[in-house]
Amino acid sequence: MAHIIIKLAGQSAEDLGPELRARELSLILADIGTDGVANYGVYNRKLIVPDSGIAVLPEDAPPPADGDFIASGPLTIDGEQEVYHAYRIPA
């Protein structure tokens, strides 16, 4: 299956979660990453929209108690590149 890579506009982890989720109308998040300047969401096509949200947290933050891990990758936030985890959380 071909991946769809989308450049993200959010500049904070709090902004990226809702932005990643908004793209899931016809796609499903598979991975996250950065080129050192911009952040990207990597998606696969899908037919069903999960009834959930997405939380993006720094690597050292505890995972949400009710969250399911989706992907992990480097993101650039405030000019600093760090590893973040994306979790699917109940809506």
Side-chain angles (χ1 to χ4, degrees):
M1 178 181 298
H3 294 297
I4 298 163
I5 300 170
I6 297 176
K7 184 176 178 180
L8 304 170
Q11 297 298 310
S12 71
E14 293 80 20
D15 293 341
L16 290 173
E19 183 178 0
L20 289 165
R21 174 68 178 119
R23 304 287 185 177
E24 289 197 318
L25 292 176
S26 62
L27 308 170
I28 191 154
L29 182 65
D31 204 357
I32 55 176
T34 187
D35 61 9
V37 177
N39 297 313
Y40 298 88
V42 180
Y43 293 86
N44 293 323
R45 294 189 188 279
K46 67 167 181 78
L47 300 175
I48 300 171
V49 177
D51 186 20
S52 61
I54 294 177
V56 176
L57 301 173
E59 181 177 38
D60 59 353
D66 54 356
D68 292 321
F69 178 79
I70 301 172
S72 179
L75 295 174
T76 302
I77 308 276
D78 295 329
E80 298 291 323
Q81 186 171 320
E82 293 183 49
V83 174
Y84 284 80
H85 298 306
Y87 297 91
R88 189 165 308 286
I89 54 174

